[in-house]
Amino acid sequence: MKNFATLLQEKLGSRDTEKLALMKLGRQLAEWGRISEKLERFLIKKLQANSLFFEFVCSLIKGLYAL
């Protein structure tokens, strides 16, 4: 069974192929935007967690030197 984009392309003809290509590119860019937002949130959480761990280790080291 043909997908919707293929059927639409056959119905509209070759003159609208560029429009379909731009629509596809737009969908791909939107999807990449959603993926990059999720990746950014993930990395920020990881960096914050690592930062808290780093601060904890530094405070332990300072505490050891204070003794």
Side-chain angles (χ1 to χ4, degrees):
M1 183 172 182
K2 294 184 178 182
N3 65 19
F4 179 74
T6 304
L7 293 172
L8 186 61
Q9 184 177 358
E10 289 175 359
K11 184 169 179 76
L12 295 175
S14 61
R15 61 184 169 84
D16 292 325
T17 304
E18 289 181 19
K19 290 180 184 178
L20 291 173
L22 289 174
M23 289 169 51
K24 182 178 180 181
L25 180 61
R27 285 193 303 272
Q28 289 172 342
L29 289 173
E31 181 64 23
W32 173 247
R34 288 189 290 274
I35 291 170
S36 63
E37 287 174 7
K38 290 178 183 178
L39 180 61
E40 181 181 1
R41 285 193 299 263
F42 172 78
L43 291 175
I44 287 172
K45 286 181 183 179
K46 285 294 184 185
L47 287 173
Q48 288 173 344
N50 288 341
S51 175
L52 291 174
F53 179 72
F54 180 73
E55 289 176 19
F56 172 72
V57 170
C58 286
S59 67
L60 287 178
I61 292 171
K62 287 179 184 177
L64 290 174
Y65 283 117
L67 296 175

